[in-house]
Amino acid sequence: MPHRSTDAVVCRRLVGRTAVVTGAGSGIGLAAAHRLAAEGARVVLADIDEAAGRSAAKAVGGLFVATDVTDPYMVEALFDTAYETYGSVDVAFNNAGISPPEDDSILTTGLDAWHRVQEVNLTSVYLCCKAALPYMRRHGRGSIINTASFVARMGAATSQVSYTASKGGVLAMSRELGVQFAREGIRVNALSPGPVDTPLLRELFAADPVAAARRLVHIPLGRFARPEEIAAAVAFLASDDSSFITAAEFLVDGGISGAYVTPV
Ligand SMILES: NC(=O)c1ccc[n+]([C@@H]2O[C@H](COP(=O)([O-])OP(=O)(O)OC[C@H]3O[C@@H](n4cnc5c(N)ncnc54)[C@H](O)[C@@H]3O)[C@@H](O)[C@H]2O)c1
C-alpha cells in the first residue's frame, strides 16, 4: 500500500518560533529540521558532524552550531546562541543519539560502551533540557521533545543493553520534567519512534540482515518508518496543536508496541 507523503503539507504552525534540533545532520533530526523550517520556525541545527550539520543548515535555511551534546559547555553555548540570535527558545528537539555495534548483549558489552551510549543518549538530554529550560521559563512557554524509542517499553532478544536503558531514562526523565514545568507553560514529551529507515538503522542491519528480517515481521504496517513521518510528529508536538499533551510518551511506531500477531 502506498504511504501518504507529508512532503507537500504546508501548515505554518511555527511562525515566529525558534527551534533547536540536535543530531540535525542526519536521519530523524534532518527531516525534523526540514519540517520545522517549512512550518515557519527559525531552526538552529546542532551536530557533532560539522560537514553534515553545515549542509543541513544550508538546505533548510537554518543556523548551524557545531555541538557535541555530551559536552555541557557546548550545549550551553548552543542554547545561548539560539536565544541571542533569535530572542527565544520555543522548541528543543533533543534527538542526537547513537547505537554502536559494541553495545550488545549484557554478556559482551563492556563498561566503556555502556558509558558512551549513556552519555550520548541520556546525559545529553539532561544537558539540553537543563540549558533550554531557563530560556523557556523566561517567556513562560516552550515545547521540549526528547527522542526516546519504542525499546523504552518493549524488550528485545536482540539486545542493545545500554541503548535500551538510555531510552528508558529519556522516557522517565521527560515525564518528570513535563509534570514539574507544566504550570509554567512548558510542555515536555518523549517521542518514541519505531524502527526508522535512517543511517543509524541501516548501519545496524547491514551487519546482520537476518536480524533485520526478524524485526520487520513484528511491525503491523509491514515496513520501517520514513524519517519524514517522525518529523511530522515532532512538528505536531512542537506546535500549539498539541497544547494539552505533556509528560506523555508519544509513540510513532507503526503499531509495533500494540501487536501480538501481525498480518501476513
Ligand atoms: N532510526 C531508528 O530506527 C530509531 C528508532 C527509535 C529511536 N531512534 C532515535 O532517534 C534519534 C535519531 O536517530 P537517527 O536514526 O536519525 O540517527 P542518525 O545516525 O541518522 O543521526 C544521528 C545524528 O546525531 C549526530 N550525533 C551523534 N552523536 C552526537 C553527539 N555526541 N553530539 C551531537 N550530535 C551527535 C550524528 O552525527 C547524526 O547526524 C536517536 O536518538 C535514536 O536513538 C532512532
Side-chain angles (χ1 to χ4, degrees):
M1 187 171 60
H3 43 264
R4 241 186 90 219
S5 167
T6 50
D7 301 343
V9 175
V10 282
C11 315
R12 300 278 294 170
R13 295 176 292 189
L14 299 170
V15 173
R17 308 279 169 97
T18 305
V20 176
V21 178
T22 71
S26 173
I28 295 168
L30 177 60
H34 272 284
R35 177 65 188 251
L36 296 173
E39 295 227 15
R42 298 171 294 233
V43 182
V44 180
L45 300 91
D47 207 290
I48 198 170
D49 180 336
E50 293 204 23
R54 278 190 207 293
S55 118
K58 198 170 169 204
V60 309
L63 175 68
F64 174 63
V65 182
T67 312
D68 176 347
V69 290
T70 67
D71 180 329
Y73 301 104
M74 292 184 105
V75 170
E76 266 180 41
L78 167 66
F79 286 92
D80 289 352
T81 303
Y83 192 83
E84 279 156 21
T85 309
Y86 297 121
S88 66
V89 174
D90 304 292
V91 177
F93 180 36
N94 303 321
N95 164 75
I98 55 169
S99 175
E102 54 275 21
D103 175 24
D104 200 279
S105 159
I106 193 167
L107 301 174
T108 52
T109 301
L111 203 51
D112 285 353
W114 167 271
H115 281 311
R116 179 74 193 140
V117 171
Q118 294 298 317
E119 286 280 301
V120 179
N121 291 8
L122 179 57
T123 307
S124 71
V125 174
Y126 153 80
L127 291 174
C128 288
C129 291
K130 199 174 170 65
L133 278 163
Y135 291 125
M136 293 181 169
R137 295 182 77 203
R138 206 177 281 184
H139 290 244
R141 107 178 163 190
S143 172
I144 296 179
I145 303 144
N146 296 324
T147 306
S149 167
F150 70 105
V151 302
R153 65 150 48 198
M154 299 183 73
T158 47
S159 182
Q160 297 171 275
V161 68
S162 187
Y163 182 91
T164 299
S166 73
K167 294 304 187 180
V170 170
L171 182 59
M173 179 166 49
S174 304
R175 183 190 305 124
E176 186 134 302
L177 296 179
V179 172
Q180 184 180 351
F181 294 100
R183 304 267 169 109
E184 295 192 47
I186 300 165
R187 298 183 295 107
V188 186
N189 291 294
L191 175 67
S192 287
V196 187
D197 187 13
T198 68
L200 181 140
L201 193 78
R202 267 176 244 145
E203 196 182 314
L204 192 70
F205 288 175
D208 193 346
V210 177
R214 213 174 140 193
R215 291 176 200 213
L216 202 51
V217 79
H218 293 288
I219 307 171
L221 284 180
R223 62 177 176 82
F224 297 134
R226 290 177 298 119
E228 292 75 18
E229 292 174 302
I230 309 303
V234 175
F236 169 68
L237 290 173
S239 79
D240 294 342
D241 277 351
S242 58
S243 51
F244 206 59
I245 301 178
T246 197
E249 176 188 18
F250 200 87
L251 277 160
V252 186
D253 70 351
I256 191 169
S257 61
Y260 171 38
V261 179
T262 55
V264 280

